[in-house]
Amino acid sequence: MVKWQGVFPAVTTKFNDDMSLDYAGNVSHIAWQIDNGVDGVVVCGSLGEASTLEVDEKVQIVKAAKEASQDRIPVIATVSETATQRGLSFVDKAQKAGADGFMVLPGTLYHADSREAVAHYQTIADASDKPILIYNNPVGYRVDLGESELAELAKDPKFQAIKESSDDIRRTTTLRNRFGNRFSLMMGVDNLALESLMMGADGWIAGLVDAFPAETVAIYKLAKAGRWDEAREIYRWFVPLLELDVSTKLVQNIKLAGLVVGRCNDVVRMPRMPLAGADRDKVVGIVENAIASRPTLPTDI
């Protein structure tokens, strides 16, 4: 069983300088996230450079996450493939590697209509005996699962949660009004996280947590405790960093943030390239300013 609440990092995938998979680096990074209090981990998603990974590499990352977690938190593997059939292959291998659940994207590249999108999700669910998080990101993938599509998927109990990334904060309330507690709601847009928690979201699938896990966890815990003034203070400090997640270069931004805080390198797989010039200077400046003004976190949460 997966408890769909709390902070779930969408972890970056760690590579060596030659762009090969850094297995030990992935284990170390996820262990660090757990040590800082996260509640689950999502691997091989968009931020994990899924489109550049072979299926067998994704399986290795699932194994690395399981090694780091030691069953302390659930490991959620992302199904992000251009073809449903390739998704089925990954589901089979990831389950055998120990994945505790799946986050499912629509088929990438092709912009499916409603019937096709529902069929894709249901086909993946039929091949799995694990709980499923529905990733809805019409901004990034141009497939929007609205109330009618979600109502169809709600018939299958394997669909347990929604990662809401429409960039429309009103949907938190709309989904709760329409479905009650049928789905857990996980916010997937970093700079809408506190707003969504205030409106009843259950959790936060976070990006900048990769570089600042303690602050991310503190915001969530304070929000759930109703300590809104304290949560807002940290969140306002965090927003310039969180905005690095809302970018076509979110992978490069967040990996560079991890480098600046001393946790990892910023190696990405082509066609991505590490930030350079003014783009790099801007991100480094944002991260360094944040470190210089880092808030003191409460110890009683």
Side-chain angles (χ1 to χ4, degrees), residues 8-10 12 47 190 204-211 245 254:
F8 284 46
T12 53
L47 190 52
D190 264 6
W204 178 4
I205 298 181
L208 266 298
V209 66
D210 278 290
D245 180 64
I254 292 174

Side-chain angles (χ1 to χ4, degrees), residues 38-154:
V38 303
D39 302 285
V41 63
V42 179
V43 300
C44 303
S46 305
L47 190 52
E49 298 177 69
S51 63
T52 73
L53 298 170
E54 302 298 330
V55 167
D56 288 344
E57 289 180 315
K58 294 178 184 181
V59 173
Q60 287 300 307
I61 295 167
V62 172
K63 290 179 178 179
K66 290 296 290 185
E67 181 176 329
S69 75
Q70 296 295 305
D71 291 326
R72 290 175 290 171
I73 62 169
V75 172
I76 309 303
T78 304
V79 181
S80 174
E81 304 293 342
T82 54
T84 305
Q85 193 64 34
R86 279 196 288 272
L88 298 179
S89 174
F90 175 63
V91 165
D92 177 62
K93 293 179 179 181
Q95 286 188 153
K96 291 174 181 175
D100 299 297
F102 292 100
M103 180 172 77
V104 181
L105 278 68
T108 56
L109 298 183
Y110 176 66
H111 305 143
D113 64 21
S114 175
R115 179 177 65 95
E116 293 169 325
V118 169
H120 167 78
Y121 277 86
Q122 192 61 62
T123 301
I124 297 295
D126 290 344
S128 168
D129 58 8
K130 302 296 183 181
I132 292 176
L133 169 73
I134 301 164
Y135 184 13
N136 191 38
N137 184 347
V139 177
Y141 297 105
R142 295 177 64 182
V143 175
D144 193 0
L145 298 176
E147 291 182 51
S148 61
E149 291 82 12
L150 292 170
E152 188 65 27
L153 296 176

Side-chain angles (χ1 to χ4, degrees), residues 208 211-212 241 244 252-262 283 287:
L208 266 298
F212 294 90
L241 290 163
L244 298 176
Q252 295 96 315
N253 291 343
I254 292 174
K255 281 194 166 181
L256 180 54
L259 175 65
V260 175
V261 301
V283 172
V287 178

Side-chain angles (χ1 to χ4, degrees), residues 19 49 51-52 252 268-274:
M19 298 189 196
E49 298 177 69
S51 63
T52 73
Q252 295 96 315
V268 292
R269 276 189 174 170
M270 294 182 72
R272 289 184 180 88
M273 296 179 69

Side-chain angles (χ1 to χ4, degrees), residues 147-189:
E147 291 182 51
S148 61
E149 291 82 12
L150 292 170
E152 188 65 27
L153 296 176
K155 298 173 183 177
D156 187 334
K158 280 186 245 181
F159 292 108
Q160 296 184 359
I162 300 168
K163 180 183 177 184
E164 168 46 40
S165 297
S166 69
D167 208 28
D168 182 356
I169 192 61
R170 294 170 293 189
R171 286 209 184 186
T172 304
T173 299
T174 299
L175 292 172
R176 193 64 82 198
N177 284 346
R178 174 65 176 80
F179 296 104
N181 293 320
R182 168 61 185 83
F183 295 110
S184 295
L185 300 181
M186 308 287 286
M187 174 48 65
V189 181

